[in-house]
Amino acid sequence: MSCSAPALDRVFLQIGPLPIYWYGVIIAAGAFLGLILANREANRLGMKKDIMVDLVVFAIPIAIISARIYYVIFEWDRYVGSSWIDIFATWKGGIAIHGALIGSVLTAIVYARVKKVSFWQLVDIAAPSIILGQAIGRWGNFMNQEAHGGPISEATYESFHQYLPDFIMNQMCIDGIMYHPTFLYESVWNLLVFAFLLLLRRYNPIRGEIFLSYAITYSIGRFFIEGMRTDSLYVLGSLRQAQVISIVIIVIAVILIVYRRKTEHVRYLDIAEQAKKSSGTGAKKKRKNKKKK
């Protein structure tokens, strides 16, 4: 479908010669909101103060670096012969969520061992925050006019897309052609996953299942939405790289859930009960000491 609409300015703020792009601002906003959510949940469960803040201090930069490395590796042809600075130009877009997840999980494993806390407890707390950050972060792709789908037919537009806000569809008008806003499809799916994870933790599942459920549900949505995108890398016939990774993640996550249900008996909210007991024991000791004095 042909169209005509100006693109939104990708620059959020210009400070002298330094441009601050909407892409980075949106990614940072998603990370900040996710951190607030995770920190509040950790405090509710009685974990050590600022344990999630300390984790994020390490996880975010490592996730960004690993996300960029992952993207550059799989899109290497784009950078061959161009300036080496382009490899680091994340403000132009080009970070892969699967790379970010790999970096974040490895960071959490090391962090959990150093702090002597449960890795599964940490990632269970972080899972809703991660998917919320992903839902918000997709709007960075929107500002960059990337991660979109194929052209929209007039019939498809008339039946559905005409009801979407004009600013969304105008931004999907690229070089005179209207494209599917797959960033929006994934953002909405991620918000549904976010709501599901918040509901799941109310049922006090086996420790680790919230994170593994996140991995499964996000990957299901990513598999189908990836099939609509035009910027994918094909690796196995008609399958795209992100689809293959999604399948692998789903299989591994399901196996881990089955295995952990047989071997793990600690539940998500058990740590909160332990914290209450320990705080109650501590309060009793203080009262006894006061009586002795």
Side-chain angles (χ1 to χ4, degrees):
M1 174 179 169
S2 61
C3 59
S4 178
L8 296 174
D9 190 352
R10 296 194 301 120
V11 177
F12 169 74
L13 182 66
Q14 186 80 31
I15 303 176
L18 178 65
I20 298 176
Y21 291 91
W22 273 108
Y23 185 85
V25 171
I26 292 170
I27 295 293
F32 180 70
L33 289 176
L35 173 59
I36 292 175
L37 178 67
N39 201 45
R40 288 182 63 181
E41 180 66 4
N43 291 337
R44 185 178 77 88
L45 296 180
M47 298 188 74
K48 294 179 181 178
K49 187 177 181 180
D50 294 333
I51 191 167
M52 298 306 295
V53 175
D54 293 341
L55 171 59
V56 167
V57 167
F58 294 103
I60 286 183
I62 292 175
I64 293 173
I65 293 171
S66 60
R68 184 60 178 177
I69 291 173
Y70 185 99
Y71 179 84
V72 171
I73 288 174
F74 283 101
E75 298 288 339
W76 182 245
D77 289 343
R78 292 189 180 186
Y79 301 96
V80 174
S82 61
S83 172
W84 62 270
I85 297 177
D86 289 342
I87 294 176
F88 304 96
T90 55
W91 55 88
K92 295 181 181 179
I95 58 175
I97 186 59
H98 286 131
L101 290 175
I102 292 171
S104 298
V105 169
L106 292 177
T107 303
I109 290 173
V110 174
Y111 182 82
R113 290 185 177 181
V114 172
K115 293 292 184 177
K116 297 181 180 179
V117 296
S118 167
F119 161 78
W120 291 110
Q121 190 75 43
L122 287 178
V123 292
D124 271 352
I125 292 171
S129 297
I130 294 172
I131 197 66
L132 177 62
Q134 289 176 243
I136 296 171
R138 277 302 172 196
W139 289 85
N141 298 133
F142 164 74
M143 292 303 299
N144 279 358
Q145 293 184 307
E146 62 187 4
H148 57 73
I152 296 175
S153 66
E154 288 192 22
T156 302
Y157 179 84
E158 293 295 333
S159 64
F160 174 70
H161 293 88
Q162 66 167 323
Y163 301 108
L164 294 176
D166 288 341
F167 79 94
I168 291 178
M169 298 314 300
N170 287 343
Q171 187 70 353
M172 289 297 97
C173 180
I174 305 169
D175 296 329
I177 299 175
M178 184 76 73
Y179 291 94
H180 276 277
T182 46
F183 83 91
L184 178 64
Y185 307 158
E186 186 168 332
S187 181
V188 171
W189 175 259
N190 290 347
L191 288 175
L192 293 175
V193 174
F194 171 71
F196 166 70
L197 296 180
L198 293 184
L199 181 63
L200 177 62
R201 71 185 187 190
R202 287 173 173 252
Y203 289 89
N204 196 20
I206 295 294
R207 192 163 62 185
E209 284 197 15
I210 296 176
F211 176 75
L212 294 172
S213 296
Y214 149 73
I216 293 170
T217 50
Y218 166 70
S219 296
I220 290 172
R222 180 61 186 270
F223 178 89
F224 289 103
I225 295 170
E226 187 69 22
M228 303 176 66
R229 287 173 54 170
T230 59
D231 59 346
S232 303
L233 176 68
Y234 291 86
V235 290
L236 292 174
S238 61
L239 279 180
R240 303 156 192 244
Q241 173 262 329
Q243 290 180 314
V244 173
I245 297 297
S246 294
I247 293 172
V248 171
I249 290 174
I250 291 170
V251 171
I252 293 174
V254 170
I255 291 173
L256 285 173
I257 286 177
V258 173
Y259 173 76
R260 288 182 60 77
R261 284 187 176 182
K262 293 179 179 179
T263 60
E264 178 68 65
H265 303 290
V266 179
R267 293 187 173 272
Y268 177 70
L269 295 176
D270 286 356
I271 189 173
E273 296 299 323
Q274 293 172 2
K276 288 180 181 178
K277 289 179 181 179
S278 62
S279 62
T281 303
K284 287 180 181 179
K285 286 182 178 180
K286 287 182 180 179
R287 286 196 293 270
K288 286 183 180 179
N289 291 333
K290 286 181 179 180
K291 287 181 181 180
K292 289 179 180 181
K293 291 180 180 179

